[in-house]
Amino acid sequence: MNVIESNSKSEVLKVGFLSFIANILSKVFTIPIGIIIASILGPINYGILAIINLILQYLAYFNLGILMNITREVPIAYGSNNTKEVKLLYDITFTNYFIYTFFSVFLIWLLYYFNFFVDSLTFQIFVLLTFIFLSKNLVSFFHTYLKGEGKFVNLAQNEIILKIGLPLLSLFLVWLFYIEGMLISMIIINLVSFVFIFKKLNLPKLSFNLNFKKTKQLISTSIFMHFNKIIDGIIVSLGILFCSTFLSLEDVGILSFAMVIATIDKVPFATSIVMMINRQMAILAGKEGENNHQAFKNFFGKNLTIYMLLTSTVLGMLVIFYSVLVKIFLIQFLDSTPIFIILFFSINFYNVRYFMYNYFNATLQMAKRSLILIVGLIFNLVLC
């Protein structure tokens, strides 16, 4: 029997199609609207926006991968038919994420009180930042709930709303209120996303559960998943970091432009497939046991081959598209063409790792992968 059943295959196609539509619409709206918004905001307000995004990014680093407990442990519990464990996992994760959220709010306001941030982050902007963080975390929890329940079609539908709604709403509110309008649009689109999920699904009845023993057990797993996610991003960004240190600013611009293809998000259906495979592996771990490594061999046969074929085809098309675009319209970025070709091969190998990542995750081997990543990071630093 194939790892992905026929109904799952049809869901993969549907989710992939919706994700593809979302990405196309995003490009159609985001590129021209982004240019208009940039011209309205100007460099100073764009700098404020960058600082806000950086604060949100660093706050996310401190959550210890709490939400990853849902995407890993819930399917495993379903695989072993333990619905009581599912309810417990949702309650504990909700409680821990609630504590993390409000502790983070307290922390950033404490730093604001002691003038840690630049003066351009006014009280009004900081209030909006707080509501962005709160609404973002609300949506993040229920987005992860959709993943835990395998509601990937609803997730893809929600993605379309976000990809269309945010640029249009941002343009309108930036035109009216400048940087404050941009921040308000981020809050509104998060709330719209939550309302969509609320209307579409029967949301779980959540309750507070301060179970320290279970929390310790969950964090001992999630922290390695969280670390792997962070370290992956660091390794990818090392090229830009070293380029900015040892080469000219023009070289940094050339490399940065070429790196537009260096993400799985550029392949519309790839992210959806990876999320679904992650859940399938977790369910299998619940049924067969986390130490039954032989049970996962089918994932690395036809399914991986099809995934590699599709992602490499799309990446090849992207390389051709951007190479032609450069030669016709962006002659100043002509030196990025050979980088595109090198990245085509390296990104293909990089994208394949998602299957192994999910396998390590399902079989409790993320600590080993963390060690491998640290060794690889040190090796890269020594070579550079």
Side-chain angles (χ1 to χ4, degrees), residues 135 138-139 141-143 158 162 188-200 203:
S135 61
L138 176 69
V139 172
F141 179 85
F142 287 106
H143 272 196
N158 188 245
L162 295 175
I188 292 175
I189 205 66
N190 283 335
L191 295 178
V192 169
S193 179
F194 172 73
V195 170
F196 172 83
I197 297 171
F198 183 80
K199 291 286 186 181
K200 279 281 184 181
L203 296 182

Side-chain angles (χ1 to χ4, degrees), residues 313-370:
T313 300
V314 174
L315 279 173
M317 292 170 64
L318 283 172
V319 169
I320 294 170
F321 171 76
Y322 280 108
S323 298
V324 172
L325 183 71
V326 164
K327 289 180 181 178
I328 297 175
F329 299 107
L330 299 168
I331 195 70
Q332 66 270 36
F333 289 98
L334 193 60
D335 288 342
S336 65
T337 305
I339 303 176
F340 280 133
I341 297 170
I342 295 170
L343 282 174
F344 169 74
F345 292 100
S346 59
I347 296 301
N348 271 310
F349 285 110
Y350 184 76
N351 283 343
V352 170
R353 96 199 196 287
Y354 284 103
F355 271 61
M356 188 61 72
Y357 176 94
N358 291 334
Y359 166 69
F360 282 145
N361 185 23
T363 55
L364 283 175
Q365 298 187 78
M366 292 302 276
K368 295 179 182 177
R369 188 177 188 272
S370 300

